[in-house]
Coordinates of all heavy atoms in Angstrom, one line a residue:
M1 N 107.0 -93.8 29.1 CA 107.3 -95.0 28.4 C 106.2 -96.1 28.6 O 105.8 -96.7 27.6 CB 108.6 -95.6 28.9 CG 109.1 -96.8 28.2 SD 109.5 -96.4 26.6 CE 110.2 -97.9 26.1
V2 N 105.7 -96.2 29.8 CA 104.6 -97.2 30.0 C 103.3 -96.7 29.3 O 102.6 -97.6 28.7 CB 104.3 -97.3 31.5 CG1 103.1 -98.1 31.8 CG2 105.5 -97.7 32.3
E3 N 103.1 -95.5 29.2 CA 101.9 -95.0 28.5 C 102.0 -95.3 27.0 O 101.0 -95.6 26.3 CB 101.8 -93.5 28.7 CG 100.4 -92.9 28.3 CD 99.3 -93.5 29.1 OE1 99.5 -93.7 30.3 OE2 98.2 -93.7 28.5
A4 N 103.2 -95.2 26.4 CA 103.4 -95.5 25.0 C 103.1 -97.0 24.7 O 102.5 -97.3 23.7 CB 104.8 -95.2 24.5
R5 N 103.5 -97.9 25.6 CA 103.2 -99.3 25.5 C 101.7 -99.5 25.5 O 101.2 -100.4 24.8 CB 103.8 -100.1 26.5 CG 105.3 -100.2 26.4 CD 105.9 -101.1 27.4 NE 107.3 -100.9 27.5 CZ 108.1 -101.2 28.6 NH1 107.5 -101.8 29.6 NH2 109.3 -101.0 28.6
R6 N 101.0 -98.8 26.3 CA 99.5 -99.0 26.4 C 98.9 -98.6 25.1 O 97.9 -99.2 24.6 CB 99.0 -98.3 27.6 CG 99.3 -98.9 28.9 CD 98.7 -98.1 30.0 NE 99.2 -98.6 31.3 CZ 99.0 -98.0 32.5 NH1 98.3 -96.8 32.5 NH2 99.4 -98.5 33.6
L7 N 99.3 -97.5 24.6 CA 98.8 -97.0 23.3 C 99.1 -97.8 22.1 O 98.3 -97.9 21.2 CB 99.2 -95.5 23.1 CG 98.7 -94.5 24.1 CD1 99.3 -93.1 23.8 CD2 97.2 -94.4 24.0
A8 N 100.3 -98.5 22.2 CA 100.7 -99.3 21.0 C 99.8 -100.5 20.9 O 99.7 -101.1 19.8 CB 102.1 -99.8 21.2
R9 N 99.1 -100.9 21.9 CA 98.2 -102.1 21.8 C 97.0 -101.8 20.9 O 96.4 -102.7 20.3 CB 97.6 -102.5 23.2 CG 98.7 -103.1 24.1 CD 98.0 -103.6 25.3 NE 97.5 -102.5 26.1 CZ 96.8 -102.6 27.2 NH1 96.6 -103.8 27.7 NH2 96.4 -101.5 27.8
Y10 N 96.7 -100.5 20.7 CA 95.5 -100.1 20.0 C 95.8 -99.9 18.5 O 94.9 -99.6 17.7 CB 94.8 -98.9 20.6 CG 94.3 -99.2 22.0 CD1 95.0 -98.6 23.0 CD2 93.3 -100.0 22.2 CE1 94.5 -98.8 24.3 CE2 92.8 -100.3 23.5 CZ 93.5 -99.7 24.5 OH 93.0 -99.9 25.8
V11 N 97.1 -99.9 18.1 CA 97.5 -99.8 16.7 C 97.4 -101.1 16.1 O 98.0 -102.1 16.6 CB 98.9 -99.2 16.6 CG1 99.4 -99.1 15.2 CG2 99.0 -97.8 17.3
P12 N 96.7 -101.3 14.9 CA 96.6 -102.6 14.3 C 97.9 -103.2 13.8 O 98.9 -102.4 13.5 CB 95.7 -102.3 13.1 CG 95.1 -100.9 13.3 CD 96.0 -100.2 14.2
Y13 N 98.0 -104.5 13.8 CA 99.2 -105.2 13.4 C 99.6 -104.8 12.0 O 100.9 -104.6 11.8 CB 99.0 -106.7 13.5 CG 100.2 -107.5 13.0 CD1 101.3 -107.6 13.7 CD2 100.1 -108.1 11.7 CE1 102.4 -108.2 13.2 CE2 101.2 -108.7 11.2 CZ 102.4 -108.8 12.0 OH 103.5 -109.5 11.5
P14 N 98.8 -104.6 11.0 CA 99.3 -104.2 9.7 C 100.0 -102.9 9.7 O 100.9 -102.7 8.9 CB 98.0 -104.2 8.8 CG 97.1 -105.1 9.4 CD 97.3 -105.0 10.9
V15 N 99.6 -102.0 10.6 CA 100.3 -100.7 10.7 C 101.7 -100.9 11.2 O 102.7 -100.4 10.7 CB 99.5 -99.7 11.6 CG1 100.2 -98.4 11.8 CG2 98.1 -99.4 10.9
H16 N 101.8 -101.7 12.3 CA 103.1 -102.1 12.8 C 104.0 -102.7 11.8 O 105.2 -102.4 11.6 CB 103.0 -103.0 14.0 CG 102.6 -102.4 15.3 ND1 103.4 -101.6 16.0 CD2 101.4 -102.4 16.0 CE1 102.8 -101.2 17.1 NE2 101.6 -101.6 17.1
A17 N 103.4 -103.7 11.1 CA 104.2 -104.4 10.1 C 104.7 -103.5 8.9 O 105.8 -103.5 8.5 CB 103.4 -105.6 9.5
G18 N 103.8 -102.6 8.5 CA 104.1 -101.7 7.4 C 105.2 -100.7 7.9 O 106.1 -100.4 7.1
Y19 N 105.1 -100.2 9.1 CA 106.1 -99.3 9.7 C 107.5 -100.0 9.7 O 108.5 -99.4 9.3 CB 105.7 -98.9 11.0 CG 106.7 -97.9 11.7 CD1 106.7 -96.6 11.3 CD2 107.6 -98.3 12.6 CE1 107.6 -95.7 11.9 CE2 108.5 -97.5 13.2 CZ 108.5 -96.1 12.8 OH 109.4 -95.3 13.4
M20 N 107.5 -101.2 10.2 CA 108.8 -102.0 10.3 C 109.4 -102.3 8.9 O 110.6 -102.2 8.7 CB 108.6 -103.2 11.2 CG 108.2 -103.0 12.6 SD 109.4 -101.8 13.4 CE 110.8 -102.9 13.6
N21 N 108.5 -102.7 8.0 CA 109.0 -103.0 6.7 C 109.5 -101.7 6.0 O 110.5 -101.8 5.3 CB 107.9 -103.6 5.8 CG 107.6 -105.1 6.2 OD1 108.5 -105.7 6.7 ND2 106.4 -105.5 6.0
G22 N 108.8 -100.6 6.1 CA 109.3 -99.4 5.6 C 110.6 -98.9 6.2 O 111.5 -98.5 5.4
S23 N 110.8 -99.1 7.5 CA 112.1 -98.8 8.1 C 113.2 -99.7 7.5 O 114.3 -99.2 7.3 CB 112.0 -99.0 9.6 OG 111.0 -98.2 10.2
G24 N 112.9 -101.0 7.3 CA 113.9 -101.9 6.8 C 114.3 -101.5 5.4 O 115.5 -101.5 5.0
V25 N 113.4 -101.1 4.6 CA 113.7 -100.7 3.2 C 114.5 -99.4 3.2 O 115.5 -99.3 2.4 CB 112.3 -100.5 2.4 CG1 112.6 -99.7 1.1 CG2 111.7 -101.8 2.1
L26 N 114.2 -98.4 4.0 CA 114.9 -97.2 4.1 C 116.4 -97.4 4.6 O 117.3 -96.9 4.1 CB 114.3 -96.2 5.0 CG 113.0 -95.6 4.5 CD1 112.3 -94.7 5.5 CD2 113.3 -94.8 3.2
I27 N 116.5 -98.3 5.6 CA 117.9 -98.6 6.1 C 118.7 -99.3 5.0 O 119.9 -99.0 4.8 CB 117.8 -99.5 7.4 CG1 117.2 -98.6 8.5 CG2 119.1 -100.1 7.8 CD1 116.9 -99.4 9.8
T28 N 118.1 -100.3 4.3 CA 118.8 -101.0 3.3 C 119.2 -100.0 2.2 O 120.3 -100.1 1.7 CB 117.9 -102.1 2.7 OG1 117.5 -103.0 3.8 CG2 118.6 -102.9 1.7
G29 N 118.3 -99.2 1.8 CA 118.6 -98.2 0.7 C 119.7 -97.2 1.1 O 120.5 -96.8 0.3
A30 N 119.7 -96.9 2.4 CA 120.7 -95.9 2.9 C 122.1 -96.6 3.0 O 123.1 -95.9 2.8 CB 120.3 -95.3 4.2
M31 N 122.1 -97.9 3.2 CA 123.4 -98.6 3.4 C 124.0 -99.1 2.1 O 125.1 -99.5 2.0 CB 123.3 -99.7 4.4 CG 123.0 -99.3 5.8 SD 124.2 -98.1 6.4 CE 125.7 -99.1 6.5
A32 N 123.2 -99.2 1.0 CA 123.6 -99.8 -0.3 C 124.9 -99.1 -0.8 O 125.8 -99.8 -1.3 CB 122.5 -99.8 -1.3
P33 N 124.9 -97.7 -0.8 CA 126.2 -97.1 -1.3 C 127.4 -97.5 -0.5 O 128.5 -97.7 -1.1 CB 125.9 -95.6 -1.3 CG 124.4 -95.5 -1.2 CD 123.9 -96.7 -0.6
H34 N 127.3 -97.7 0.8 CA 128.4 -98.0 1.6 C 128.8 -99.5 1.3 O 130.0 -99.8 1.5 CB 128.0 -97.9 3.1 CG 127.7 -96.5 3.5 ND1 128.6 -95.5 3.5 CD2 126.5 -95.9 3.7 CE1 128.0 -94.3 3.9 NE2 126.7 -94.6 4.0
L35 N 127.9 -100.3 0.9 CA 128.2 -101.7 0.7 C 129.2 -101.9 -0.5 O 130.0 -102.7 -0.4 CB 126.9 -102.4 0.3 CG 127.0 -103.9 0.0 CD1 127.3 -104.7 1.2 CD2 125.7 -104.4 -0.6
V36 N 129.1 -101.0 -1.5 CA 130.0 -101.1 -2.6 C 131.1 -100.1 -2.5 O 131.9 -99.9 -3.4 CB 129.3 -101.0 -3.9 CG1 128.4 -102.2 -4.2 CG2 128.5 -99.7 -4.0
G37 N 131.2 -99.3 -1.4 CA 132.3 -98.4 -1.2 C 132.2 -97.1 -2.0 O 133.3 -96.5 -2.3
L38 N 131.0 -96.6 -2.3 CA 130.9 -95.3 -3.0 C 131.2 -94.2 -2.0 O 130.9 -94.2 -0.9 CB 129.5 -95.2 -3.6 CG 129.2 -96.1 -4.7 CD1 127.7 -95.9 -5.1 CD2 130.1 -96.0 -5.9
P39 N 131.9 -93.1 -2.5 CA 132.1 -92.0 -1.7 C 130.8 -91.3 -1.2 O 129.8 -91.3 -2.0 CB 133.0 -91.1 -2.5 CG 133.0 -91.6 -3.9 CD 132.4 -93.0 -3.9
I40 N 130.9 -90.6 -0.1 CA 129.7 -89.9 0.4 C 129.5 -88.7 -0.5 O 130.4 -87.9 -0.8 CB 130.0 -89.5 1.9 CG1 130.1 -90.7 2.7 CG2 128.8 -88.6 2.4 CD1 130.5 -90.5 4.2
G41 N 128.2 -88.4 -0.8 CA 127.9 -87.2 -1.5 C 128.0 -87.4 -3.0 O 127.9 -86.4 -3.8
L42 N 128.1 -88.6 -3.5 CA 128.2 -88.8 -4.9 C 126.8 -88.6 -5.5 O 125.8 -89.2 -5.1 CB 128.6 -90.3 -5.2 CG 129.0 -90.6 -6.6 CD1 130.2 -89.8 -7.0 CD2 129.3 -92.1 -6.7
S43 N 126.7 -87.8 -6.6 CA 125.4 -87.4 -7.1 C 124.9 -88.4 -8.1 O 123.7 -88.6 -8.3 CB 125.5 -86.0 -7.7 OG 126.4 -86.0 -8.8
R44 N 125.8 -89.1 -8.8 CA 125.3 -90.1 -9.8 C 126.2 -91.3 -9.7 O 127.4 -91.2 -9.4 CB 125.2 -89.6 -11.2 CG 126.4 -89.0 -11.7 CD 126.3 -88.5 -13.2 NE 127.6 -88.8 -13.7 CZ 127.9 -89.0 -15.0 NH1 126.9 -88.9 -15.8 NH2 129.0 -89.3 -15.4
F45 N 125.7 -92.4 -10.1 CA 126.4 -93.7 -10.0 C 127.3 -93.9 -11.2 O 126.9 -93.8 -12.3 CB 125.4 -94.8 -9.9 CG 126.1 -96.2 -9.8 CD1 126.8 -96.6 -8.7 CD2 126.0 -97.0 -10.9 CE1 127.4 -97.8 -8.7 CE2 126.6 -98.3 -10.9 CZ 127.3 -98.7 -9.7
D46 N 128.6 -94.2 -10.9 CA 129.5 -94.5 -12.0 C 130.2 -95.8 -11.6 O 130.8 -95.9 -10.5 CB 130.6 -93.4 -12.1 CG 131.5 -93.7 -13.3 OD1 131.2 -94.5 -14.1 OD2 132.5 -93.0 -13.4
P47 N 130.1 -96.9 -12.4 CA 130.6 -98.2 -11.9 C 132.1 -98.1 -11.7 O 132.7 -99.0 -10.9 CB 130.3 -99.1 -13.1 CG 129.2 -98.5 -13.8 CD 129.3 -97.0 -13.6
S48 N 132.9 -97.2 -12.2 CA 134.3 -97.1 -12.0 C 134.6 -96.6 -10.5 O 135.7 -96.8 -10.1 CB 135.0 -96.2 -13.0 OG 134.5 -94.9 -12.8
D49 N 133.6 -96.1 -9.8 CA 133.8 -95.6 -8.5 C 133.6 -96.7 -7.4 O 133.9 -96.5 -6.3 CB 132.8 -94.5 -8.1 CG 133.1 -93.2 -8.9 OD1 134.3 -93.0 -9.3 OD2 132.2 -92.4 -9.1
V50 N 133.2 -97.9 -7.9 CA 132.9 -99.0 -7.0 C 134.3 -99.6 -6.5 O 135.2 -99.8 -7.3 CB 132.1 -100.1 -7.6 CG1 132.0 -101.3 -6.8 CG2 130.7 -99.6 -7.9
H51 N 134.4 -99.9 -5.2 CA 135.6 -100.5 -4.6 C 135.2 -102.0 -4.4 O 134.5 -102.3 -3.4 CB 136.0 -99.8 -3.3 CG 136.4 -98.4 -3.6 ND1 137.6 -98.1 -4.1 CD2 135.7 -97.2 -3.3 CE1 137.7 -96.8 -4.2 NE2 136.6 -96.2 -3.7
P52 N 135.8 -102.9 -5.1 CA 135.4 -104.3 -4.9 C 135.8 -104.9 -3.5 O 135.1 -105.7 -3.0 CB 136.2 -105.1 -6.0 CG 136.8 -104.0 -6.9 CD 136.7 -102.7 -6.2
L53 N 136.8 -104.3 -2.9 CA 137.2 -104.8 -1.6 C 136.2 -104.4 -0.6 O 136.0 -105.2 0.4 CB 138.6 -104.2 -1.2 CG 139.2 -104.8 0.0 CD1 139.4 -106.3 -0.1 CD2 140.5 -104.1 0.3
A54 N 135.5 -103.3 -0.7 CA 134.4 -103.0 0.2 C 133.3 -104.0 0.2 O 132.7 -104.3 1.2 CB 133.9 -101.6 -0.1
L55 N 133.0 -104.5 -1.0 CA 132.0 -105.5 -1.1 C 132.4 -106.8 -0.4 O 131.7 -107.5 0.2 CB 131.6 -105.8 -2.6 CG 130.5 -106.7 -2.9 CD1 129.2 -106.3 -2.2 CD2 130.3 -106.9 -4.4
V56 N 133.7 -107.2 -0.6 CA 134.3 -108.4 0.0 C 134.2 -108.2 1.6 O 133.8 -109.2 2.3 CB 135.7 -108.6 -0.4 CG1 136.4 -109.7 0.4 CG2 135.7 -108.9 -1.9
V57 N 134.5 -107.1 2.1 CA 134.5 -106.8 3.5 C 133.0 -106.9 4.0 O 132.8 -107.6 5.1 CB 135.1 -105.5 3.9 CG1 134.8 -105.1 5.3 CG2 136.6 -105.5 3.6
A58 N 132.1 -106.3 3.3 CA 130.7 -106.4 3.7 C 130.1 -107.8 3.7 O 129.4 -108.2 4.6 CB 129.8 -105.5 2.8
L59 N 130.5 -108.6 2.7 CA 130.0 -109.9 2.6 C 130.6 -110.8 3.6 O 130.0 -111.7 4.2 CB 130.2 -110.5 1.2 CG 129.3 -109.9 0.1 CD1 129.7 -110.4 -1.3 CD2 127.8 -110.1 0.4
T60 N 131.9 -110.6 4.0 CA 132.6 -111.3 5.0 C 131.9 -111.0 6.4 O 131.7 -112.0 7.2 CB 134.1 -111.0 5.1 OG1 134.6 -111.3 3.8 CG2 134.8 -111.8 6.1
A61 N 131.6 -109.8 6.6 CA 131.0 -109.4 7.9 C 129.6 -110.0 8.0 O 129.2 -110.5 9.0 CB 130.8 -107.9 8.0
L62 N 128.8 -110.1 6.9 CA 127.5 -110.7 6.9 C 127.7 -112.2 7.1 O 126.9 -112.8 7.9 CB 126.8 -110.5 5.5 CG 125.5 -111.1 5.3 CD1 124.5 -110.5 6.3 CD2 125.0 -111.0 3.9
W63 N 128.7 -112.9 6.5 CA 128.9 -114.3 6.7 C 129.2 -114.6 8.2 O 128.7 -115.5 8.8 CB 130.0 -114.8 5.8 CG 130.3 -116.2 6.0 CD1 131.3 -116.8 6.8 CD2 129.6 -117.3 5.6 NE1 131.3 -118.1 6.8 CE2 130.2 -118.5 6.0 CE3 128.4 -117.5 4.8 CZ2 129.7 -119.8 5.7 CZ3 128.0 -118.7 4.4 CH2 128.6 -119.9 4.9
I64 N 130.1 -113.8 8.8 CA 130.4 -114.0 10.2 C 129.2 -113.7 11.1 O 129.0 -114.4 12.1 CB 131.6 -113.0 10.6 CG1 132.9 -113.5 9.9 CG2 131.8 -113.0 12.1 CD1 134.0 -112.6 10.1
A65 N 128.4 -112.8 10.8 CA 127.2 -112.5 11.6 C 126.2 -113.6 11.5 O 125.5 -113.9 12.5 CB 126.5 -111.2 11.1
L66 N 126.0 -114.2 10.3 CA 125.0 -115.3 10.2 C 125.6 -116.7 10.5 O 124.8 -117.5 11.0 CB 124.5 -115.3 8.7 CG 123.8 -114.0 8.3 CD1 123.4 -114.1 6.8 CD2 122.6 -113.8 9.2
R67 N 126.8 -116.9 10.4 CA 127.5 -118.2 10.7 C 128.7 -117.9 11.6 O 129.8 -117.9 11.1 CB 127.9 -118.9 9.4 CG 126.8 -119.2 8.5 CD 126.4 -120.5 8.7 NE 125.4 -120.9 7.7 CZ 124.7 -122.0 7.8 NH1 124.9 -122.8 8.7 NH2 123.8 -122.2 6.8
P68 N 128.5 -117.6 12.8 CA 129.7 -117.2 13.7 C 130.6 -118.4 13.9 O 130.2 -119.5 14.0 CB 129.0 -116.8 15.0 CG 127.7 -117.5 15.0 CD 127.3 -117.6 13.6
P69 N 131.9 -118.1 13.9 CA 132.9 -119.2 14.1 C 132.8 -119.7 15.5 O 132.3 -119.0 16.4 CB 134.2 -118.5 13.8 CG 134.0 -117.1 13.5 CD 132.5 -116.9 13.5
A70 N 133.3 -120.9 15.7 CA 133.2 -121.5 17.0 C 134.0 -120.8 18.1 O 133.7 -120.8 19.3 CB 133.7 -123.0 17.0
W71 N 135.1 -120.1 17.7 CA 136.0 -119.4 18.7 C 135.3 -118.1 19.2 O 135.9 -117.5 20.1 CB 137.4 -119.2 18.1 CG 137.4 -118.5 16.8 CD1 137.4 -119.0 15.6 CD2 137.4 -117.0 16.6 NE1 137.4 -118.0 14.6 CE2 137.4 -116.8 15.2 CE3 137.4 -115.9 17.5 CZ2 137.4 -115.6 14.7 CZ3 137.5 -114.7 16.9 CH2 137.5 -114.5 15.5
T72 N 134.2 -117.7 18.7 CA 133.6 -116.5 19.1 C 132.3 -116.8 19.9 O 131.3 -116.0 19.8 CB 133.3 -115.6 18.0 OG1 132.4 -116.2 17.1 CG2 134.5 -115.2 17.2
R73 N 132.1 -117.9 20.6 CA 130.9 -118.2 21.3 C 130.5 -117.2 22.3 O 129.3 -117.0 22.6 CB 131.0 -119.6 21.9 CG 131.2 -120.7 21.0 CD 129.9 -121.1 20.4 NE 130.1 -122.3 19.5 CZ 129.5 -122.4 18.4 NH1 128.6 -121.5 18.0 NH2 129.7 -123.4 17.6
R74 N 131.4 -116.6 23.0 CA 131.1 -115.6 24.1 C 130.8 -114.2 23.6 O 130.3 -113.4 24.3 CB 132.3 -115.6 25.1 CG 132.4 -116.9 25.8 CD 133.5 -116.8 26.8 NE 133.3 -117.9 27.8 CZ 133.5 -117.8 29.0 NH1 133.9 -116.6 29.5 NH2 133.2 -118.8 29.8
I75 N 131.1 -113.9 22.3 CA 130.9 -112.6 21.8 C 129.7 -112.7 20.8 O 129.6 -113.6 20.0 CB 132.2 -112.1 21.0 CG1 133.4 -112.1 21.9 CG2 131.9 -110.7 20.4 CD1 134.7 -111.9 21.1
P76 N 128.8 -111.8 20.9 CA 127.6 -111.8 20.0 C 128.0 -111.7 18.6 O 129.0 -111.0 18.2 CB 126.8 -110.5 20.4 CG 127.3 -110.2 21.8 CD 128.7 -110.7 21.9
P77 N 127.4 -112.5 17.7 CA 127.8 -112.6 16.3 C 127.9 -111.2 15.6 O 128.8 -111.0 14.8 CB 126.8 -113.5 15.6 CG 126.2 -114.3 16.7 CD 126.3 -113.4 17.9
Y78 N 126.9 -110.4 15.8 CA 126.9 -109.1 15.1 C 128.0 -108.2 15.6 O 128.5 -107.4 14.8 CB 125.5 -108.4 15.2 CG 124.4 -109.1 14.5 CD1 123.4 -109.7 15.2 CD2 124.5 -109.2 13.1 CE1 122.4 -110.4 14.5 CE2 123.5 -109.9 12.5 CZ 122.5 -110.5 13.2 OH 121.5 -111.2 12.5
L79 N 128.4 -108.3 16.8 CA 129.5 -107.5 17.3 C 130.8 -108.1 16.8 O 131.7 -107.3 16.4 CB 129.5 -107.6 18.9 CG 130.6 -106.7 19.5 CD1 130.4 -105.3 19.2 CD2 130.5 -106.9 21.0
T80 N 130.9 -109.4 16.6 CA 132.1 -110.0 16.0 C 132.3 -109.6 14.6 O 133.4 -109.3 14.1 CB 132.0 -111.5 16.1 OG1 131.8 -112.0 17.4 CG2 133.2 -112.2 15.5
A81 N 131.2 -109.5 13.8 CA 131.3 -109.2 12.4 C 131.7 -107.7 12.3 O 132.4 -107.3 11.4 CB 129.9 -109.4 11.7

């Protein structure tokens, strides 16, 4: 583990930034079907398969994670959401 940290110093910042941005894009793309409640393994998108309540739950969890309520001060916001 210590050796990997030493080697990471020699990797340029744009490479680190590109790697992290690419990871974020892949994670966002992989979670998008779950955001609207599409079933797993769906081969093509049909708007009638979208579950509006799934979107409401996802947006509520995002709201709680970004603006945690006062009664959850001891619990981390992302865990609360």
Side-chain angles (χ1 to χ4, degrees):
M1 182 69 172
V2 175
E3 195 64 34
R5 289 184 197 162
R6 289 182 186 168
L7 292 175
R9 287 188 296 177
Y10 298 109
V11 178
Y13 175 75
V15 174
H16 282 286
Y19 181 79
M20 295 307 288
N21 286 334
S23 299
V25 168
L26 289 175
I27 290 170
T28 303
M31 292 306 294
H34 299 287
L35 180 69
V36 293
L38 293 177
I40 296 173
L42 191 64
S43 60
R44 58 177 214 157
F45 177 72
D46 185 14
S48 66
D49 291 335
V50 172
H51 296 283
L53 190 58
L55 185 59
V56 171
V57 169
L59 291 176
T60 303
L62 179 65
W63 178 260
I64 291 173
L66 296 178
R67 302 266 185 187
W71 53 270
T72 62
R73 295 277 183 221
R74 294 184 159 216
I75 304 171
Y78 292 114
L79 184 61
T80 304

